[in-house]
Amino acid sequence: MTNAKVARVLCFLVLVALSSCSLYARAANEVDHCLLDKKKVMRDCWHHIEKKLGDQYPPLHSACCNTIRDAKDIHCVCDRFTAHELTLLSVAKFAMATHVCGNGLRTHSHCAG
């Protein structure tokens, strides 16, 4: 009887170990969509959100607007801007571009003002 209990406990521990490894592997393979969307915004919208020269009104069918509309969570894109990027771009122009393109930031968020 004792051997049967030990075997059940070992099976249970193996099952727990395998399931936790599976969860860890899944989390490690998840893609950071915010970071990917931010890179696309920086690539496609740079001329519209640049601090000194940007035109904050991108055309509706531009690559910039398509990128902004396709972003899974435009608010997390703003959260991912680095300190260096924030010295180069205008958050106000970014917020305006999101509204022009139809995926506007919520008012009173730290990016929308």
Side-chain angles (χ1 to χ4, degrees), residues 23-67:
L23 291 173
Y24 177 75
R26 202 172 327 141
N29 289 330
E30 285 184 14
V31 177
D32 185 352
H33 293 286
C34 293
L35 188 58
L36 289 176
D37 286 340
K38 184 200 82 159
K39 287 180 180 182
K40 290 176 186 176
V41 165
M42 292 297 286
R43 180 192 67 213
D44 296 338
C45 299
W46 177 248
H47 295 293
H48 302 288
I49 62 175
E50 187 179 8
K51 190 173 273 188
K52 304 219 185 269
L53 301 172
D55 174 14
Q56 63 188 355
Y57 301 106
L60 287 178
H61 299 292
S62 65
C64 178
C65 276
N66 290 336
T67 298

Side-chain angles (χ1 to χ4, degrees), residues 77-95:
V77 169
C78 187
D79 293 337
R80 297 299 172 106
F81 289 136
T82 64
H84 175 69
E85 290 167 340
L86 290 172
T87 64
L88 302 173
L89 64 86
S90 167
V91 175
K93 288 181 182 179
F94 172 70

